[in-house]
Structure formats: structure tokens, C-alpha cells
Amino acid sequence: TESDERQTMSIGSQIKEMKALATRDHLYIKDIKEESHSAKISGQRPIFNQLIGDLKQGVFNGILTWAPDRLSRNAGDLGILVDLMDQGKLIHIKTFSQSFSNNPNEKFLLMILGSQAKLENDNRGINVKRGIRAKCEMGWRPGMPPMGYYNRSFAGIRDIVVDPDRGDTIKEMFIKVAEDKYSGRKIIRWFKEIGFTTRVGRDPTLSQVYLMLKNPFYYGEFEYPTKSGHWYKGKHPPLVTKEIFNRVQKQLIVPKKSKWGEKNFHYKNIFKCATCGMNILGEEKNRKLKNGGRRKHIYYHCAKQVFDICREPYISEEDLVRKIIKYIELIEKSNPKVIQISEKLKIKINNYRSIRDKVLIYQNINPDDIEITFTEYIRHILYNGNALDKREAIKSLNIQLYIHEREIITK
């Protein structure tokens, strides 16, 4: 079988007719195999492949089918059937109006009918593509139109019209982005406030919002197929002008991200937000000074990947360092077993100890009188170490740390 509109007879009707033929001709039906799958591509039909396997194993030696094109519309599957006939494993193929046995003339006829089915299938594909291309040239985009439109069929005429329930909202969305500088997340919040949903009654996702904002269909042009480079002027009524659309595209341009390591976000992705569980990210801000200069500040905050309205406040890097030292000092006193010092980290602590001891001796202080603590090493690394040493030292706690109201906690 193929799709319903191309099917001349349902599978149930085919089975009924072939059962009647088997009764009339005294044929024993060992099994009925039913599959709704196109026969135009070789090796893509599981039930047909099972049928071939059963023939090879001798489960049965004949096939009863409505027509030859039900078995194959491609050269690969057709060749397998003929090979099985040559091997004597497939003795007979019987259709409603024809029979094919293992003799040259009937095998030749089977191959002609199979090839004819393939030719018809190939031509159908060409005709469908030609029809789609003609439709595009007429100004009508094939398939489901984007949100804000719907396909209309009236008195034999098919066109694309504005959705009265969503069209005005989509138009307003473009204006809010172009004129009020709305972001995608702000559009999502606005949609929730006004109760706007998709055709199936769901809340639009952030990716859907950006796809709509980047879709030229809304100002009257479309590309088909996507990324083909073939552009057409649509006959559908545009929701926005090209000027508004271009302003939206400028608003959507995101500054190119720096490569990892270019900015000193030493504590990026180490902590998680206690409210929503997302990663804590770093952000650099420049504050203008009275003398005209600028001062760089680094802040850490929730990534807000799930909950755009997460209320966890920013924390400055200086404050975060103080809170890390305070937390590790508390852990070292209350539960030192939590701290898992690797062999690599032990070497670094010993290196720090040797440097510290030299300083103490220089100050006429006996190093043995002052015990080195992990907190002391952390303090030294956080203020003087590189990004790798800082991250390694914090991760030696072997527990996930969270930030809540600018404080470090565990769950």
C-alpha cells in the first residue's frame, strides 16, 4: 500500500479478494503479511524483508499478492525476487490477474511490470516537484504556514489567509521587538500575560519565538525548500512591512561570544543556583568613573535557562571569594572528611608550604609552630593562583555548591 490518496484499493479489500482467489484455485495460504509502507526504496520495508527471509528458509515457496507493484517499485527488491526464482526457492507469484513462474518469459514480464511501476513512481516524484514549484511561482508556499496564518480551502480554491485569532498578536510581537526592544524572553512573558497559545493550545517556546521573528514569510517572501536559495514573492497578506522586519533582525543580532579563557571568569559553572538549579555564569561590567575612566567589575549570576524570572541576585567576584573562604573554613572545622585532596593537589600544597616556611624562617618564626590549613591554602590560591588552580581547589570539596542570596550553601 501507499498513502490513501494514491491507493486504488485498501489492504482489507486486497486480502478479501486474494482469499477468494485462493479458495477458487485451491491454494493453501500459510501466512498473511500486511504492511503499509512505500515500496519505492529498496530494503526499507521490515515485513517485506521478513517475507524474503522466510522464502530463503523454505517456510513457503509462493506469494499471493494483488499486483506486482505491491511487491516492488524498485530494482533492488525486484532483483531479489527474481534471484529467489532462479534458486528455486520462490516457485510462483500469483496476482489477481496474472501468474509468474520460474520460466524466462514470465520472469521477463515480471521484471517489465516491476520496472514500469518504478518508472511511474519516478515520474510521479518529478510531477509532484513540478507541481510544488509551480505553486511557489504562483505565490503560495506549500505545507503548513507559520503561526499567524492558516490554509483555507473554499469552493475549490486554496489560499493562505491571516489567522483572526493570532495574526494581530504576531504583528504586535514584531512591533514590540522593533520599537520597544523586547527580547525573546520578554515576548514569552508577554504571551503568558495575554494568554496567547499555539494552534494546539500550548505556550509558545523561546525557539518558536525566534523562528517567527526570523521568518521572512511575515513580510511577504518565502524560500522553498528551506536553504535552497530559491525565493518567491508570496500572495498571502503580509503581517509586517519589510522595514519592520529588518529592524527586528538588527535587534536580534547577538554580539560574538569571546573564546573560552579570554575573560577571567574563574568560577564559571562551578556553582549552581539554589532556586532553579541552573549554572552560575560570569559577566563583565564596566562602570564609568567621575574622572572619565572605566572600572571593570565581574559578577556571577544564574544562567536563567529554565526560569527566566529567577530572582537570585548577582554576587560580585570579590564578595564570592570571601564567601568561598568563609565556607571552606567552616567545612574544615565541622566536617573535614568532605575535603578530598588529590595527589596532584597535595604536591601543590607542599610547594606552597615550602614557600611559606622560607618566609616564616626569614621572619625568625619556627614554621613547625604554625600549622598549615586547607583554608590557608585556599586563601592563597584564590588571591594569587591561576584559574585552573582555583577551580581545582574548590572542586576538591567533592560536593555540589549552590548560591542562595549571595551565600554558599549545599543541599
Side-chain angles (χ1 to χ4, degrees):
T1 181
E2 289 188 318
S3 56
D4 291 338
E5 65 270 19
R6 299 179 187 176
Q7 180 73 2
T8 58
M9 197 176 202
S10 69
I11 291 181
S13 299
Q14 292 178 46
I15 293 174
K16 181 179 178 182
E17 291 289 342
M18 301 318 291
K19 279 185 175 179
L21 187 147
T23 301
R24 185 194 68 194
D25 293 352
H26 306 289
L27 300 175
Y28 171 63
I29 298 177
K30 173 124 180 125
D31 192 9
I32 296 176
K33 296 187 180 295
E34 177 180 335
E35 184 170 39
S36 298
H37 200 295
S38 174
K40 64 183 180 181
I41 301 177
S42 175
Q44 300 298 310
R45 294 175 290 165
I47 302 300
F48 179 81
N49 294 338
Q50 187 184 76
L51 168 73
I52 297 300
D54 290 344
L55 284 167
K56 290 179 178 180
Q57 295 176 11
V59 177
F60 40 77
N61 57 12
I63 299 175
L64 192 62
T65 185
W66 174 253
D69 62 1
R70 301 298 90 185
L71 291 176
S72 173
R73 289 175 177 266
N74 64 82
D77 291 344
L78 180 60
I80 291 173
L81 293 171
V82 174
D83 283 344
L84 288 173
M85 281 186 162
D86 290 339
Q87 297 168 21
K89 294 182 178 180
L90 177 56
I91 296 175
H92 200 74
I93 295 177
K94 187 168 182 61
T95 68
F96 185 78
S97 58
Q98 294 169 300
S99 293
F100 306 94
S101 299
N102 187 17
N103 68 69
N105 290 333
E106 293 183 7
K107 284 191 293 185
F108 180 65
L109 178 59
L110 175 64
M111 295 179 71
I112 289 176
L113 294 174
S115 299
Q116 183 181 8
K118 174 173 170 51
L119 177 63
E120 292 174 354
N121 192 78
D122 292 345
N123 286 335
R124 185 181 294 116
I126 293 172
N127 292 334
V128 168
K129 290 179 181 178
R130 185 187 298 115
I132 290 175
R133 189 163 56 250
K135 184 176 181 180
C136 290
E137 290 170 354
M138 291 172 60
W140 302 113
R141 187 188 186 282
M144 180 71 72
M147 200 182 309
Y149 293 92
Y150 69 87
N151 288 322
R152 180 180 65 176
S153 180
F154 178 73
I157 299 174
R158 294 185 178 183
D159 58 1
I160 299 173
V161 296
V162 175
D163 185 342
D165 298 326
R166 297 175 179 82
D168 290 340
T169 304
I170 298 298
K171 180 178 180 179
E172 191 175 352
M173 174 189 71
F174 275 90
I175 294 174
K176 285 183 177 295
V177 175
E179 298 182 356
D180 300 332
K181 312 302 181 185
Y182 270 41
S183 66
R185 295 182 186 277
K186 199 169 182 180
I187 291 293
I188 288 290
R189 290 199 296 270
W190 175 62
F191 279 164
K192 288 182 179 179
E193 290 171 2
I194 64 176
F196 181 80
T197 61
T198 64
R199 297 184 186 98
V200 294
R202 295 177 181 172
D203 293 333
T205 63
L206 187 60
S207 61
Q208 285 178 318
V209 168
Y210 281 116
L211 285 174
M212 287 189 287
L213 291 172
K214 294 177 181 178
N215 193 343
F217 188 89
Y218 291 104
Y219 77 78
E221 293 183 6
F222 63 91
E223 181 187 24
Y224 195 89
T226 304
K227 297 182 179 180
S228 65
H230 300 302
W231 287 88
Y232 303 92
K233 178 68 176 178
K235 282 190 176 180
H236 60 279
L239 285 178
V240 297
T241 64
K242 190 170 184 178
E243 178 193 1
I244 291 290
F245 181 82
N246 289 337
R247 289 170 61 185
V248 168
Q249 304 318 299
K250 291 181 180 179
Q251 182 66 21
L252 294 178
I253 294 175
V254 178
K256 188 177 180 181
K257 292 184 177 180
S258 301
K259 293 181 180 179
W260 190 91
E262 285 186 349
K263 293 190 177 180
N264 296 320
F265 299 142
H266 295 170
Y267 309 104
K268 173 185 174 182
N269 293 336
I270 293 179
F271 303 92
K272 288 186 179 294
C273 174
T275 298
C276 63
M278 293 296 101
N279 286 330
I280 297 295
L281 304 180
E283 183 177 348
E284 185 180 291
K285 291 183 178 291
N286 292 296
R287 188 177 68 181
K288 190 174 182 180
L289 303 177
K290 291 182 179 180
N291 60 9
R294 291 183 176 273
R295 185 178 178 184
K296 183 179 73 174
H297 294 272
I298 294 178
Y299 294 88
Y300 291 86
H301 60 86
C302 175
K304 299 182 181 180
Q305 293 170 318
V306 176
F307 301 102
D308 183 42
I309 56 174
C310 182
R311 300 302 183 188
E312 283 292 341
Y314 287 69
I315 181 171
S316 68
E317 187 168 81
E318 295 85 356
D319 194 18
L320 179 60
V321 168
R322 290 193 292 269
K323 296 297 174 63
I324 293 172
I325 295 172
K326 178 182 175 182
Y327 180 81
I328 289 179
E329 186 176 18
L330 177 65
I331 289 293
E332 190 172 27
K333 290 178 180 179
S334 62
N335 191 11
K337 293 183 179 180
V338 171
I339 302 173
Q340 304 289 327
I341 301 177
S342 65
E343 292 300 323
K344 185 178 179 181
L345 190 57
K346 285 180 181 178
I347 294 173
K348 293 183 178 181
I349 293 175
N350 289 333
N351 291 337
Y352 167 70
R353 178 184 283 110
S354 63
I355 296 173
R356 188 208 65 160
D357 290 351
K358 290 178 182 179
V359 173
L360 292 176
I361 292 171
Y362 179 78
Q363 297 175 347
N364 295 321
I365 300 173
N366 185 1
D368 296 332
D369 294 337
I370 302 178
E371 181 185 0
I372 185 171
T373 63
F374 186 67
T375 304
E376 180 186 348
Y377 172 75
I378 284 288
R379 183 180 289 107
H380 165 73
I381 287 299
L382 295 188
Y383 285 114
N384 304 295
N386 58 41
L388 184 62
D389 288 342
K390 292 176 183 180
R391 298 173 69 86
E392 183 182 25
I394 296 172
K395 289 184 177 181
S396 65
L397 294 177
N398 203 30
I399 52 176
Q400 179 61 60
L401 299 177
Y402 295 83
I403 294 180
H404 178 59
E405 297 295 336
R406 298 193 177 95
E407 295 290 340
I408 297 175
I409 64 171
T410 56
K411 287 189 175 182

